[in-house]
Amino acid sequence: MSPEATTKTTYRLPIGPIHPALKEPVAFEFEIDGERIVDVRVSLGQVHRSVEWAGMRRNPIQILYLAERICGICSYCHPMAFALAVENIADIEVPERAEYLRVIQAELERICSHILWAGVAAHEIGFDSVLFLTWQMREKVLDLTEYLTGNRITKAITMIGGVRRDITKDMVPKVTEALNYFKDNFEKLRHIFLDDKTFKMRSQGVGILTKEDALQLCACGPTTRASGVKKDVRLDQPYFAYGDLDFDYVTPDILTGEVNGDVYDRIIVRLLEVKQSIELIEQCLDLMPAGDIVSEPKIAKLLATLKKVKGEGIGRMEAPRGEVIHYVKLDENEHPYCWKVRAPTYNNILPWIPMLRGEQIADIPIVAASTDPCMSCTNRVAIVDSGKKYELNREELHKMSVEKTRRLMK
Amino acid sequence: MRFSMLPQVFFQMFKKPFTNKFPAKYIPSSTTKFLEDVGAGRVKIIPPVETPIDFRGKIQYDSEKCIGCKLCIKVCPTEAIEYKEKEKKIKIYLARCCFCSQCNDVCPTNCLSMGNEFLLADTDKYSKDLIVE
Ligand code: SF4
Ligand code: SF4
């Protein structure tokens, strides 16, 4: 915040640093004039969990499960990006069937994440009946995940050189049944999210991120696609079996014919991506060839091979929130020499600044939620009003947002 | 439609709730008493949703087959497995286990498998139920 911006009429509103148990701790400082946000300052790096350090004391197989715990929602992308990096170093060929199975798991995770997000977004504007409807659908996604992997959240399906579980012929009917359920319910959700007056009122023209800003601030994932930037690792640098599948960038103009880059557009992009993911899974089930699911089933042998390789590798993939990058360096040792993770929310934090400028305090929850970060950001708010300090907790901020919806409905 | 959620909300009022009311319809005022009553057959427990096949629950260990190769210890991400030097067998502390089933995959004699049991909450992390040997 520049000193001249601090005039008599504005006051500061610090938000965060948030609860240390959450993955993306961040502190905001808002410059407020009445209800309007004049300026925003974001500071990152509030908590350090030492995941990378812990990883440097474990062997690659153990790291897969550590990487899974970087994020509860992206519990597939992180270990998979790590596996891609290790495969890159050790030149491990992944069997064809495993490539398709990997796509299926990745898209299932995207459906789960986007639907979870849709529920949270509805909750942020005080539309809790939609939250329950979306989470009912998410429950089915979790059931399918449980059926395919054995676990509901931390899937433990990744293996270096493939996946750990196959989808056999007799499992396919149950998967298609679930996919049909998603399709039916998706139409319902789409209708509610895109046509309902309550949503339009709170999301159209709010939290705008222009295409120039999105490009300059390196936003990624649905956040940048909602501003009209065609960026998607799945298409730009196809990995897994994405090269063989038929799909295209999802931008809001597919549906509405124009790109505004507001919260409404971000809702459109995420909802259309759910549909796209369902279609991708169907394509995979059709195209999947028979064969092995992992290149080296003997894990002890795999570990011995990895102990002998030396070099650096990068694994990148499109997580539900955007591009995730893992950098790994192995130096003929049991443990990696270095492991570096860059999660997509990191890129999507700076775009908050142009999005929030000019908006109202009550819009903070929905605008912040629209990039799909960890929602803890609104946890502990202290308003410093001309020397007097009072605190605003998450519930109160949420209440302000709900009240704004009510005001607009009148 | 202006408020497209309304029909859905009305519809929902007449539908069976999606939630499975496990273990009872209302939270019992005392959990211990509730469990005692269940044990004595006075009240019935509403069963949890069934787990699918190949669910990763409590680990089963067939110590007869174990050859003490220590491979499971090497891959376990949470270091939940301890080696018993004298017997040349292993001991798994489930309070540490993350149910990844990696030890099952690596075991050369297939003496480990994942069971269906998932209700493993306990106040004592060294309780008998949470140690497999
Ligand atoms: S299931 Fe995973 S965490 Fe649990 S004992 Fe086996 S390897 Fe360790
Ligand atoms: S891997 Fe199997 S045989 Fe080897 S020590 Fe573990 S349980 Fe025993």
Side-chain angles (χ1 to χ4, degrees):
Chain A
M1 198 188 310
S2 58
E4 58 266 31
T6 322
T7 60
K8 261 187 212 150
T9 51
T10 63
Y11 63 93
R12 289 178 200 177
L13 176 85
I15 296 188
I18 46 144
H19 199 282
L22 292 145
K23 95 176 178 312
E24 228 89 39
V26 57
F28 288 106
E29 197 166 271
F30 292 98
E31 174 93 27
I32 308 282
D33 176 13
E35 273 276 318
R36 298 249 142 240
I37 299 165
V38 182
D39 205 356
V40 191
R41 201 168 60 172
V42 190
S43 59
L44 295 170
Q46 303 292 332
V47 158
H48 190 63
R49 285 196 303 170
S50 308
V51 170
E52 290 159 359
W53 182 87
M56 280 146 64
R57 271 138 196 87
R58 280 167 169 75
N59 65 40
I61 299 290
Q62 289 174 314
I63 294 179
L64 288 177
Y65 304 101
L66 181 66
E68 215 166 57
R69 278 149 187 85
I70 292 175
C71 172
I73 304 171
C74 303
S75 60
Y76 174 76
C77 308
H78 281 290
M80 208 33 120
F82 174 79
L84 280 171
V86 172
E87 283 156 18
N88 180 341
I89 304 170
D91 277 325
I92 296 173
E93 277 277 332
V94 178
E96 187 83 342
R97 187 177 177 81
E99 298 277 29
Y100 282 92
L101 289 168
R102 283 178 165 192
V103 173
I104 293 178
Q105 295 292 347
E107 295 308 320
L108 202 57
E109 177 170 276
R110 197 179 317 278
I111 297 175
C112 189
S113 170
H114 282 356
I115 288 187
L116 179 141
W117 171 84
V120 171
H123 168 71
E124 289 307 337
I125 63 167
F127 206 164
D128 279 342
S129 47
V130 181
L131 164 79
F132 292 116
L133 186 72
T134 45
W135 281 44
Q136 179 179 329
M137 185 168 162
R138 175 174 179 258
E139 193 60 32
K140 289 277 178 194
V141 186
L142 288 182
D143 283 347
L144 182 60
T145 312
E146 190 183 24
Y147 179 63
L148 293 180
T149 67
N151 286 354
R152 288 169 79 80
I153 302 290
T154 39
K155 301 165 189 88
I157 186 82
T158 315
M159 184 40 61
I160 294 164
V163 289
R164 287 179 59 198
R165 280 196 185 178
D166 197 0
I167 299 179
T168 50
K169 266 223 178 67
D170 42 317
M171 285 167 96
V172 173
K174 225 169 170 179
V175 180
T176 27
E177 188 199 309
L179 287 179
N180 288 336
Y181 175 88
F182 300 158
K183 267 198 255 171
D184 293 348
N185 273 266
F186 170 78
E187 281 310 318
K188 229 188 271 172
L189 274 191
R190 188 168 92 153
H191 179 51
I192 289 166
F193 273 91
L194 300 182
D195 305 333
D196 197 279
K197 190 165 170 263
T198 320
F199 271 106
K200 284 195 171 160
M201 211 158 59
R202 283 303 301 276
S203 61
Q204 274 179 339
V206 176
I208 293 178
L209 179 72
T210 58
K211 190 171 179 178
E212 291 71 47
D213 280 342
L215 284 169
Q216 263 167 17
L217 297 171
C218 300
C220 61
T223 309
T224 196
R225 286 195 287 277
S227 298
V229 183
K230 298 207 167 180
K231 188 154 97 176
D232 190 328
V233 192
R234 291 176 291 171
L235 286 148
D236 300 337
Q237 286 186 335
Y239 51 98
F240 302 166
Y242 283 115
D244 305 339
L245 303 173
D246 176 29
F247 68 114
D248 202 5
Y249 302 95
V250 176
T251 46
D253 47 332
I254 300 176
L255 196 77
T256 56
E258 54 178 4
V259 177
N260 297 317
D262 54 7
V263 175
Y264 189 66
D265 278 359
R266 288 193 274 283
I267 296 178
I268 296 179
V269 167
R270 288 215 175 78
L271 281 179
L272 292 184
E273 281 191 12
V274 171
K275 180 125 184 284
Q276 184 184 57
S277 296
I278 298 171
E279 284 163 8
L280 282 173
I281 296 178
E282 285 179 332
Q283 286 185 36
C284 283
L285 288 175
D286 284 347
L287 295 171
M288 205 157 54
D292 291 339
I293 57 161
V294 68
S295 63
E296 177 51 72
K298 291 216 174 61
I299 291 155
K301 210 165 145 199
L302 175 71
L303 274 177
T305 332
L306 291 178
K307 223 167 131 177
K308 280 188 231 105
V309 292
K310 188 175 182 166
E312 303 169 283
I314 282 192
R316 45 192 301 218
M317 64 180 282
E318 183 81 12
R321 286 160 184 70
E323 183 182 6
V324 52
I325 301 176
H326 278 229
Y327 165 83
V328 182
K329 183 170 177 178
L330 297 178
D331 64 343
E332 298 173 352
N333 221 322
E334 198 165 341
H335 318 297
Y337 178 80
C338 178
W339 175 36
K340 178 87 195 119
V341 181
R342 205 232 52 206
T345 304
Y346 190 74
N347 285 33
N348 287 339
I349 278 178
L350 283 181
W352 269 340
I353 298 171
M355 275 182 210
L356 286 168
R357 248 184 228 144
E359 301 301 343
Q360 295 188 343
I361 302 178
D363 289 324
I364 296 174
I366 181 67
V367 172
S370 73
T371 67
D372 199 2
C374 270
M375 263 324 290
S376 55
C377 314
T378 44
N379 218 345
R380 226 174 48 223
V381 182
I383 296 181
V384 184
D385 190 357
S386 53
K388 274 183 278 149
K389 187 174 161 196
Y390 60 96
E391 293 219 334
L392 202 62
N393 62 22
R394 190 178 137 63
E395 280 69 37
E396 281 166 301
L397 200 63
H398 176 65
K399 212 172 106 216
M400 281 176 86
S401 179
V402 175
E403 276 162 9
K404 182 170 176 186
T405 309
R406 296 223 174 97
R407 266 202 314 278
L408 286 173
M409 303 235 308
K410 282 203 185 109
Chain B
M1 198 196 282
R2 237 172 95 92
F3 298 111
S4 36
M5 187 64 197
L6 279 180
Q8 182 70 34
V9 172
F10 286 128
F11 182 54
Q12 197 67 41
M13 282 164 77
F14 304 103
K15 251 172 71 177
K16 197 171 147 262
F18 192 76
T19 311
N20 177 39
K21 301 250 164 60
F22 168 77
K25 192 164 178 194
Y26 301 108
I27 298 176
S29 53
S30 154
T31 318
T32 13
K33 180 149 183 310
F34 176 74
L35 288 177
E36 267 171 29
D37 285 353
V38 170
R42 269 176 302 232
V43 282
K44 255 225 182 100
I45 203 162
I46 298 176
V49 178
E50 239 180 83
T51 52
I53 39 163
D54 290 335
F55 177 75
R56 288 172 180 160
K58 185 177 176 175
I59 299 179
Q60 323 276 317
Y61 174 49
D62 181 356
S63 63
E64 293 294 303
K65 277 205 254 163
C66 176
I67 50 168
C69 67
K70 287 197 200 177
L71 273 178
C72 52
I73 297 176
K74 195 166 174 201
V75 295
C76 177
T78 58
E79 290 160 12
I81 310 177
E82 195 182 67
Y83 190 62
K84 295 193 285 187
E85 282 296 343
K86 264 218 288 330
E87 296 102 313
K88 297 216 180 336
K89 301 282 173 196
I90 59 160
K91 186 174 180 181
I92 307 171
Y93 293 91
L94 287 184
R96 281 194 77 117
C97 173
C98 68
F99 301 93
C100 65
S101 125
Q102 189 64 64
C103 50
N104 294 214
D105 285 12
V106 82
C107 180
T109 61
N110 286 329
C111 58
L112 291 164
S113 63
M114 305 299 271
N116 266 340
E117 204 183 324
F118 63 90
L119 293 167
L120 298 169
D122 207 314
T123 46
D124 175 20
K125 58 183 175 184
Y126 298 115
S127 93
K128 220 165 64 269
D129 290 343
L130 292 185
I131 293 178
V132 177
E133 57 185 331

